[in-house]
Amino acid sequence: MSTGMGYYTVDSVLPDVSLPVSPSVDASEAAGQVLDAALDQAQDLLLPALVGLGSLSGALLAGRAALAGTQLLAEAAIRAAGAQRELRRQRVDACRAAECWRQAAFAAAGVNARIETLAVRVRKAELPPGPDGPPVPPPLSPVGMTLGQLWERLAATERRLRSAEAAQARAELERTPLVATGVPGSDRLALRLRERRARALAEYALTTSADAPRDRPPERPVAPSGESAVSFGVELIARLPPDVDPADRLLVEEAVAVAAEEAAAGRAAAAGRHLREAEQFADRAVRAAGRRREAREWAALQLGFLRDAPAGLPPEAANALPTAPPDEIALLERTLDGGEPPDEALRARIGARVGNRTSALRQLYTAQVVRAVLRRTADGSRAAAPARERGRGTAQNAGNPPGTVDWTPPGWGGEHWLRLIPTDSGHARVVTMHRARPAGTETEDDRDRDRRRCAEAPRQLRALERLLDRAEVTMRLTFDPVPVPAPVSVPEASAARAPVAADRARARRGDGPQARALDRPDRPDRPKRSDRPGPEPRR
């Protein structure tokens, strides 16, 4: 039978694709209104806030989020908030709904990484629990939610998260000692610095990533007086991020206090030098906090995808996904705990693990979309029955890789079908199948029907490709030429060699002349075996 090879890509992840927990569930029940709208090419049909996230769609989006990086996830959170305001009452097409879900799923992954990072900071700080302690919110699990529900949960969770981040920073602020220079009034300056820092943290807790003000850093005075030096230092410390290291913040406070002392004594040049030093300390503190934050959130993203089973997937499908070895999981946990940026070798290794797992999910997702497309077509086609219903001819189906789809095109009856096998490498293979026939019973009519089905297979696959294009899955397959027997004319040169070939075949069977290189008639110059001198007799 004929075979075909090609490739497939998932251009956009439609949100409502699931893998049924029970094998008896029809594939069409695992895909919802977004796929229906895509296949109908309907416009202005969907209200994105009412679209729910399926298990396969959620797992695949989580993998793509882990590959995207923390900066892209932070930007996705801002775009998701904008989409919520824009599309809550607006109907859009399937592609726009898929993009809304991608942004929301990426934002959820980013928030979960921040939650895990804050939990580590709270644990390492060993702060005693209390009514003012940081209440770390639970992570989000988008699978099963509608987009409207996830939008609401995202906004509420980020408010709680920013409140907890501010509470953690406030607790660290209260635990560190006040800066004291021994100069009269230094205690009042230290309290003023702390009060402004506490107000800044309270303002941080009341905003979200989307509406947080993008303040410019304060402008350092050229010839600072006592008050201008203090005002600059107060705003410099207030703008430090909540997760700045307390020791780094103390360095900035000390430099500001010394600058204020020099300015009060009328030494403007010395005050300016110390303010510049405070500015440098603050810049280094911000960059160090950013590196720790990125490393921890990156590790949390990878761990959440590689270590945890995808929500909503059947256990057999989740257990079959590629995983990372224990030593790599331990390295990720160490990065999350310590905040040390990983080297490029570790990033590459983990990226490959995430890519392999994402490719396996893409394979399952593509197969499920193909099943849903085939079952939904209204032209009389039907998906092939499971192997147990097809008799001995498909007993080998049990050994096929995950995602194998059997399909009987319209008019093919129960004797032939197409087997589509998307692989986790992005390639796809198609085979024209037929029932196994007992030995010696195959007729010429059977072989002729096999050839007709092989010739029809490319046309059937072209129609499937067009439907998959609508579902944002690009699949392109090329079939091998169908073998058709035809008369073969033998050239004279070939005819002259034919008897030689026949003689060699008989020689291999043992029923013809067995020529050897040493006594061939076309090499008279070579001595025959009987003329060759033998070994001398022993004496």
Side-chain angles (χ1 to χ4, degrees):
M1 304 301 286
S2 62
T3 60
M5 290 293 295
Y7 69 92
Y8 69 95
T9 59
V10 177
D11 304 318
S12 294
V13 180
L14 300 183
D16 48 356
V17 179
S18 298
L19 193 63
V21 177
S22 171
S24 62
V25 176
D26 192 294
S28 60
E29 299 176 24
Q33 56 179 323
V34 176
L35 179 58
D36 287 342
L39 295 177
D40 289 334
Q41 295 184 319
Q43 301 294 321
D44 298 330
L45 176 66
L46 297 166
L47 191 63
L50 302 180
V51 176
L53 184 64
S55 58
L56 269 179
S57 302
L60 184 54
L61 285 171
R64 293 188 169 187
L67 290 170
T70 56
Q71 182 61 38
L72 285 178
L73 300 191
E75 295 170 0
I78 298 174
R79 290 195 298 269
Q84 177 183 4
R85 292 188 290 268
E86 175 189 352
L87 299 176
R88 179 170 291 278
R89 299 182 180 276
Q90 179 182 349
R91 293 181 179 272
V92 297
D93 61 12
C95 293
R96 185 71 177 101
E99 177 60 19
C100 291
W101 255 114
R102 188 187 71 85
Q103 293 173 0
F106 277 30
V111 166
N112 285 343
R114 288 172 56 194
I115 289 172
E116 187 68 22
T117 298
L118 177 61
V120 170
R121 287 180 55 215
V122 171
R123 185 180 69 248
K124 290 175 71 66
E126 298 179 351
L127 296 175
D132 234 4
V136 181
L140 285 167
S141 181
V143 172
M145 295 185 189
T146 65
L147 185 55
Q149 290 170 339
L150 182 55
W151 274 336
E152 294 173 0
R153 289 286 301 277
L154 268 172
T157 301
E158 191 180 14
R159 284 194 297 270
R160 293 176 60 188
L161 175 60
R162 289 175 73 92
S163 177
E165 289 171 339
Q168 171 69 15
R170 190 165 51 248
E172 292 172 349
L173 183 69
E174 292 169 356
R175 289 183 62 174
T176 52
L178 293 173
V179 174
T181 62
V183 178
S186 62
D187 290 345
R188 289 195 302 273
L189 171 60
L191 288 174
R192 183 176 172 183
L193 294 175
R194 295 297 176 89
E195 289 171 358
R196 180 65 185 95
R197 172 72 173 167
R199 287 203 310 274
L201 292 174
E203 294 167 2
Y204 175 89
L206 297 176
T207 58
T208 64
S209 300
D211 55 17
R214 301 295 189 267
D215 290 341
R216 296 176 58 186
E219 186 174 347
R220 177 166 46 86
V222 177
S225 62
E227 179 57 30
S228 64
V230 171
S231 298
F232 171 77
V234 164
E235 294 305 313
L236 189 65
I237 293 171
R239 283 167 171 76
L240 293 175
D243 57 349
V244 69
D245 189 280
D248 292 341
R249 176 177 48 78
L250 278 176
L251 285 176
V252 181
E253 289 183 2
E254 290 170 357
V256 169
V258 173
E261 178 185 342
E262 296 286 1
R267 296 186 287 271
R273 286 195 302 271
H274 286 290
L275 286 183
R276 185 165 56 252
E277 184 180 53
E279 198 173 35
Q280 292 170 349
F281 284 155
D283 182 63
R284 284 202 292 266
V286 169
R287 285 189 280 112
R291 286 193 297 269
R292 285 192 302 271
R293 185 187 317 121
E294 191 278 334
R296 281 177 165 157
E297 291 181 6
W298 173 83
L301 270 172
Q302 315 310 309
L303 281 171
F305 183 64
L306 292 173
R307 185 181 56 188
D308 304 333
L313 283 190
E316 61 274 12
N319 294 335
L321 295 174
T323 58
D327 62 323
E328 292 181 2
I329 295 295
L331 288 173
L332 287 173
E333 291 173 342
R334 193 178 310 157
T335 301
L336 177 61
D337 186 71
E340 289 297 324
D343 56 29
E344 291 303 318
L346 178 60
R347 285 185 183 270
R349 287 164 58 192
I350 296 301
R353 302 292 183 191
V354 172
N356 292 340
R357 195 170 173 91
T358 304
S359 296
L361 287 166
R362 180 187 59 184
Q363 175 189 8
L364 294 175
Y365 172 91
T366 301
Q368 198 66 5
V369 169
V370 170
R371 292 189 187 101
V373 166
L374 292 176
R375 290 184 182 272
R376 190 192 173 281
T377 52
D379 58 1
S381 63
R382 60 184 178 85
R388 63 179 180 274
E389 299 177 9
R390 299 188 63 90
R392 294 184 301 169
T394 57
Q396 69 273 25
N397 191 41
N400 282 322
T404 299
V405 179
D406 284 349
W407 173 43
T408 303
W412 277 32
E415 184 73 15
H416 295 80
W417 69 97
L418 292 173
R419 174 163 291 171
L420 177 64
I421 309 172
T423 68
D424 57 5
S425 64
H427 294 89
R429 182 168 177 256
V430 179
V431 185
T432 310
M433 308 289 292
H434 69 76
R435 283 182 181 272
R437 296 162 186 151
T441 63
E442 190 173 66
T443 65
E444 187 58 37
D445 289 342
D446 291 333
R447 289 187 286 272
D448 183 61
R449 191 160 43 251
D450 291 346
R451 286 190 289 269
R452 289 202 309 271
R453 295 295 182 246
C454 290
E456 294 169 4
R459 178 175 56 83
Q460 299 289 348
L461 267 297
R462 295 293 88 77
L464 176 60
E465 289 174 357
R466 287 192 294 271
L467 285 173
L468 290 175
D469 283 343
R470 299 183 190 177
E472 295 296 309
V473 174
T474 300
M475 183 176 288
R476 296 294 179 265
L477 301 162
T478 302
F479 265 87
D480 296 335
V482 178
V484 178
V488 179
S489 60
V490 181
E492 292 183 5
S494 299
R497 290 194 296 268
V500 176
D503 289 343
R504 289 177 179 167
R506 287 196 299 271
R508 286 193 297 270
R509 295 195 301 267
D511 57 355
Q514 300 184 13
R516 294 179 179 272
L518 291 176
D519 50 4
R520 283 164 46 186
D522 59 336
R523 296 292 300 275
D525 56 315
R526 300 293 298 273
K528 294 183 179 181
R529 183 178 297 274
S530 58
D531 298 331
R532 293 173 62 191
E536 294 184 4
R538 293 182 181 178
R539 296 182 180 179

